[in-house]
Amino acid sequence: MSQEPNEPKRGDFAKKEGEIILREHEFDGIQEYDQKLPNWWLFTFYGAIVWFVIHWALYYHTDLLRSPESKVQMGIEEIQKAKQEQLEKTLANLNDSVLVHQWAEDPSVVGRGEEIYMQLCSPCHANDLSATMQVSGNTVPLPGLPLNDGEWKFGGKPMDLFEIINEGSPPQSKGHNGAKMQAWSQLLSPVEVAEVVAYLIDSVPEDFQDIPEP
């Protein structure tokens, strides 16, 4: 509906009559209230903003509001990040020559590697690295491959051994006697993996005698 030139605006008329105050502008016959919001509404609105800031700070910067599942997941992520950083740090100074001529020549390193091997690796590869055990006078094969026969299925360099121990059997592997080796990085640090490699080098040094010194 059009408005006559001299007709007062609805907002002006409402103000003059003391009715509910309306804004001056009008659009398609619609005007807006120009009233102060109720205090209860304002308190609710500002309170919601304050609560959001507090909740955000507590949730993302403390452990007070995190669920047990969230805490576990964060812990796993932190462990994985720490392991990755340690792996990168270890690999920065690790190569075939260092493993053969430094790590494997240190009795303390070899000793720690032997302890780990006997605890975690011997059930599949045997204490003597033969991947067999004697049962009632019979030789019974174990799930792992022998490590003292001079054959390395996925590479015989020290860093090849480090990689397969750390990451487990490669995707193309069909396993041995129906079993694949797990990624020991889930349980061992990169340093511990390198110590196991040093023990293997010390146990079968003839397999690594062609590795030049650093």
Side-chain angles (χ1 to χ4, degrees), residues 93-207:
N93 300 310
L94 201 64
N95 55 52
D96 293 334
S97 297
V98 170
L99 281 169
V100 172
H101 298 287
Q102 294 182 18
W103 288 64
E105 293 183 0
D106 187 332
S108 62
V109 172
V110 173
R112 290 193 297 270
E114 181 179 11
E115 290 179 5
I116 297 170
Y117 177 90
M118 292 303 174
Q119 180 181 0
L120 301 178
C121 309
S122 62
C124 289
H125 299 283
N127 291 356
D128 61 357
L129 281 64
S130 66
T132 62
M133 64 181 299
Q134 296 295 319
V135 178
S136 301
N138 297 318
T139 300
V140 179
L142 295 175
L145 288 167
L147 305 176
N148 59 356
D149 60 357
E151 297 182 12
W152 302 97
K153 188 175 181 180
F154 299 107
K157 299 296 185 182
M159 290 304 295
D160 295 331
L161 305 186
F162 180 95
E163 180 177 356
I164 194 171
I165 295 172
N166 194 62
E167 301 179 8
S169 297
Q172 68 272 21
S173 172
K174 297 181 179 179
H176 181 69
N177 293 333
K180 287 188 176 183
M181 187 171 72
Q182 71 179 76
W184 286 104
S185 58
Q186 301 299 318
L187 295 176
L188 301 176
S189 69
V191 171
E192 290 172 325
V193 173
E195 289 171 345
V196 173
V197 174
Y199 167 68
L200 296 176
I201 295 172
D202 180 72
S203 300
V204 286
E206 62 276 7
D207 289 357

